[in-house]
Structures are given as C-alpha cells and as structure tokens.
C-alpha cells in the first residue's frame, strides 16, 4: 500500500511552541498516513523549536477523529480537533511538556483525508 505524505502550512497558537519563523507563526507541518503500518491512524509532524533543523514532534491519532473534528469538536486521548469558522480547523496536542494548539486551513486537511481514502481504495484486493 502506498504511504501518503503531504506538507501543509499551519499556525501555532501557543506562544511556548512558536518556532523561530519570520512569517507570523506559519510553520511547515507534515501529514502522514501509512495504511500498512496502521490503516486507522494518521500522523502529524510538527517542527521543533528552531524550525526544521531541530527535532520534530510527531503525533498519532485516528483518521476518524480528524474527519469528525472538521465538522464538530471531537477528542481522543491527548488530541482534540474542532472547526474554527468556515475555512479553518484547530488541532490541540497535549503532552507532559504542555499543550500545542495548531490552526490549519480546512482544505489542506480535507485534501489529505481524500488522499488517504484514495490510497486504500486503489489497493488491489488479495485473493
């Protein structure tokens, strides 16, 4: 099965997590889906403080949670997702180090979800 990897721009809304960027908090985020590893899970990799060169943090959560959170507030474990107006969504990540609140354009998340479903649908059925 093919891995889906998509880059997106997002805005960090928590001051403690802002990487050193000159564009008002917009950061490069990697959205990943590997149906062989776990067909129900998506991953979001956030760059560490200082941008790409520093150690990134990766969060794993259910694809269904991301889909639900685009329509209405939803949460599971250390991750919460909710719509923010008509064109944005917020994902909140909790860890022992604190909370990271990240705002995405809906269209980037919807495109990513569509690609995850296409990746699964394109796979041949084993006999």
């Amino acid at each position: 099965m093919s891995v889906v990897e998509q880059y997106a721009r997002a805005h960090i809304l928590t001051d403690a997590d802002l990487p050193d960027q000159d564009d008002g908090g917009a950061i490069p985020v990697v959205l990943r889906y590997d149906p062989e590893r776990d067909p129900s899970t998506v991953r979001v990799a956030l760059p560490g403080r200082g941008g790409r060169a520093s150690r990134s943090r990766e969060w794993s959560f259910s694809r269904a949670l991301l889909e639900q959170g685009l329509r209405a507030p939803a949460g599971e474990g250390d991750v919460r997702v909710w719509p923010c107006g008509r064109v944005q969504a917020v994902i909140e990540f909790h860890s022992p180090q604190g909370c990271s609140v990240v705002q995405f354009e809906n269209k980037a998340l919807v495109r990513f979800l569509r690609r995850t479903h296409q990746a699964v649908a394109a796979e041949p059925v084993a006999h």
Side-chain angles (χ1 to χ4, degrees), residues 2 14 17 37-38 47 60 66 73 80 82 94 102-103 108 110 116:
S2 59
T14 47
D17 284 333
R37 186 171 177 186
D38 186 348
S60 299
L66 182 56
R80 307 281 180 267
W82 67 89
H94 293 267
V102 185
Q103 187 176 47
V110 168
T116 68

Side-chain angles (χ1 to χ4, degrees), residues 54-76:
S54 64
R55 190 169 163 243
S56 67
R57 296 165 290 156
E58 187 172 270
W59 296 86
S60 299
F61 55 97
S62 82
R63 182 170 62 165
L65 172 63
L66 182 56
E67 291 170 335
Q68 293 166 2
L70 291 176
R71 294 185 301 275
E76 178 182 287

Side-chain angles (χ1 to χ4, degrees), residues 42 51 70 75 77 82-83 95 99 101 108 111 114 125:
V42 294
L70 291 176
W82 67 89
S95 74
C99 176
V101 181
R111 183 176 342 137
R114 187 177 307 122
V125 177

Side-chain angles (χ1 to χ4, degrees), residues 28-105:
V29 175
V30 180
L31 307 169
R32 289 189 183 98
Y33 175 71
D34 185 348
E36 283 188 15
R37 186 171 177 186
D38 186 348
S40 65
T41 300
V42 294
R43 291 175 172 65
V44 176
L46 302 175
R49 227 170 137 61
R52 291 181 191 196
S54 64
R55 190 169 163 243
S56 67
R57 296 165 290 156
E58 187 172 270
W59 296 86
S60 299
F61 55 97
S62 82
R63 182 170 62 165
L65 172 63
L66 182 56
E67 291 170 335
Q68 293 166 2
L70 291 176
R71 294 185 301 275
E76 178 182 287
D78 295 335
V79 179
R80 307 281 180 267
V81 183
W82 67 89
C84 181
R86 294 174 51 128
V87 297
Q88 296 177 325
V90 172
I91 304 179
E92 184 178 285
F93 303 102
H94 293 267
S95 74
Q97 292 76 33
C99 176
S100 297
V101 181
V102 185
Q103 187 176 47
F104 291 86
E105 293 284 327

